[in-house]
Amino acid sequence: MVYILFVIGFVILVKGADILVDGASSIAKRYNISDFIIGLTIVSIGTSMPELLVNIMAGIQGKSEIGVGNVLGSNVANILLVLGLSACINQLPIKRNTLFIEIPFSLTATLLVGYFANVSIFSESKVGLSLDLTEGIILLFFFALFLGYIYNYAKEKHDDVIEGTINTQPIVKSIAFIIIGIIGLFLGGKWVVDGAIELSKLFGLSESFIGLTLVALGTSLPELVTSVVAVYRKKTQLAVGNVIGSNIFNLLWILGISSIITPIEFETVNNSDIMMIIISSSLLILSIIVGKRSVITRYEGVVFLLVYAGYIYHLFLRG
């Protein structure tokens, strides 16, 4: 039954996030909040809700390996799998602000998490690799700076604002969607974590491995579906923004909130996963600056997918 709930949990996580985004976006639209703000804040945070709920549940149950693996694995999957598959469908043009601001900000967030996890500068009692309350607050501070950047960017006129993607619903229905979405995320997160723990015991795999693979892939489904559909509909900027934004949310918002609720313990081997995010981000930047145009081509998309397959194989050998 635990394994059945594990699969059902993934479905409920994705659907719960979808319903929550619909409800929250409808309310925001009703009060004349711009489509751009809705897309880069409510929708992006909503698609990151599965990661958040899994991390909170894992932390409460003392299984931080699953939570850490979930975030790090999701970020690698977002760049290599989601952008790679999206580029295979249609090449992805990258705007100047994305190349020089958003991607470097995401890379900086990765370095910040790696630094905080490995050193103790705020607490002498800190033991091993971990993120504690003070470091969580600092991560949320940088997340607030990112929201400030989004707000200022939204005040300017751009040609990539999302149009006509959100339907206004009755206020009661919108609130009901939000409540149902939160309940779905809670149940889905609990069932996914419980199932991941049982799977790790059944196959003799580490909880970190399960978090980096099965859980990370499952919680990345909202980003994957959103980006693929967006690219198919020729809305490539939405796909790119979704991935970069989600990675920043995962590192600063999710790890920040999770470490405030309860300290998050890292394993030494997680440093290699942090390094993989850095490598993936560097590969993304390299693919953009190489060539005459700032685009991720289909060829480069295939390279991304091959690198991701190699990473999964490395995780399997690592056990």
Side-chain angles (χ1 to χ4, degrees), residues 102-165:
E102 294 159 12
I103 295 177
F105 195 96
S106 176
L107 186 56
T108 301
T110 304
L111 295 171
L112 188 64
V113 168
Y115 178 74
F116 280 165
N118 282 273
V119 302
S120 176
I121 57 177
F122 301 109
S123 175
E124 296 180 357
S125 60
K126 180 176 177 180
V127 178
L129 278 66
S130 65
L131 293 176
D132 58 19
L133 174 63
T134 304
E135 292 159 341
I137 292 174
I138 294 176
L139 292 180
L140 289 181
F141 169 75
F142 278 93
F143 178 65
L145 292 180
F146 178 67
L147 292 182
Y149 157 73
I150 291 178
Y151 176 75
N152 286 326
Y153 182 84
K155 290 193 298 184
E156 304 172 5
K157 291 184 178 180
H158 300 277
D159 59 3
D160 57 347
V161 176
I162 305 170
E163 298 286 354
T165 58

Side-chain angles (χ1 to χ4, degrees), residues 16 42 57 79 99 106 127 160 202 223 233 274 288-289 291 294 310:
I42 295 176
M57 290 297 177
I79 296 175
L99 175 60
S106 176
V127 178
D160 57 347
L202 178 65
E223 288 90 345
R233 296 177 179 176
I274 293 175
I288 296 171
I289 62 178
S294 298

Side-chain angles (χ1 to χ4, degrees), residues 81-319:
L81 177 62
V82 177
L83 283 185
L85 188 58
S86 298
C88 288
I89 297 173
N90 189 19
Q91 65 179 15
L92 305 175
I94 305 298
K95 291 184 175 295
R96 182 179 179 85
N97 66 288
T98 301
L99 175 60
F100 290 103
I101 298 178
E102 294 159 12
I103 295 177
F105 195 96
S106 176
L107 186 56
T108 301
T110 304
L111 295 171
L112 188 64
V113 168
Y115 178 74
F116 280 165
N118 282 273
V119 302
S120 176
I121 57 177
F122 301 109
S123 175
E124 296 180 357
S125 60
K126 180 176 177 180
V127 178
L129 278 66
S130 65
L131 293 176
D132 58 19
L133 174 63
T134 304
E135 292 159 341
I137 292 174
I138 294 176
L139 292 180
L140 289 181
F141 169 75
F142 278 93
F143 178 65
L145 292 180
F146 178 67
L147 292 182
Y149 157 73
I150 291 178
Y151 176 75
N152 286 326
Y153 182 84
K155 290 193 298 184
E156 304 172 5
K157 291 184 178 180
H158 300 277
D159 59 3
D160 57 347
V161 176
I162 305 170
E163 298 286 354
T165 58
I166 297 169
N167 297 320
T168 303
Q169 303 167 347
I171 189 69
V172 175
K173 185 177 180 180
S174 298
I175 294 175
F177 270 30
I178 292 175
I179 295 174
I180 293 172
I182 291 174
I183 294 174
L185 288 168
F186 176 82
L187 292 176
K190 184 178 186 306
W191 290 344
V192 166
V193 172
D194 290 345
I197 294 171
E198 291 300 319
L199 281 173
S200 65
K201 293 178 180 177
L202 178 65
F203 294 103
L205 298 170
S206 69
E207 293 172 356
S208 177
F209 173 80
I210 295 295
L212 285 161
T213 53
L214 289 179
V215 179
L217 285 172
T219 55
S220 291
L221 283 177
E223 288 90 345
L224 178 62
V225 173
T226 300
S227 294
V228 169
V229 171
V231 170
Y232 182 75
R233 296 177 179 176
K234 309 300 182 182
K235 296 182 178 181
T236 55
Q237 289 306 305
L238 178 59
V240 175
N242 177 43
V243 166
I244 303 303
S246 293
N247 277 13
I248 293 173
F249 293 153
N250 286 348
L251 291 167
L252 300 181
W253 185 55
I254 293 177
L255 287 184
I257 291 179
S258 300
S259 57
I260 287 176
I261 295 174
T262 180
I264 301 176
E265 294 183 3
F266 282 66
E267 297 179 350
T268 304
V269 72
N270 288 137
N271 282 328
S272 64
D273 303 312
I274 293 175
M275 181 58 65
M276 189 63 199
I277 299 177
I278 296 173
I279 292 173
S280 301
S281 300
S282 301
L283 183 63
L284 174 60
I285 294 174
L286 184 63
S287 67
I288 296 171
I289 62 178
V290 170
K292 297 181 179 179
R293 296 188 300 162
S294 298
V295 299
I296 305 175
T297 64
R298 287 187 173 90
Y299 169 76
E300 290 164 340
V302 172
V303 173
F304 279 24
L305 294 177
L306 291 175
V307 173
Y308 184 69
Y311 173 64
I312 295 297
Y313 180 67
H314 163 73
L315 292 178
F316 181 77
L317 294 180
R318 199 174 81 185

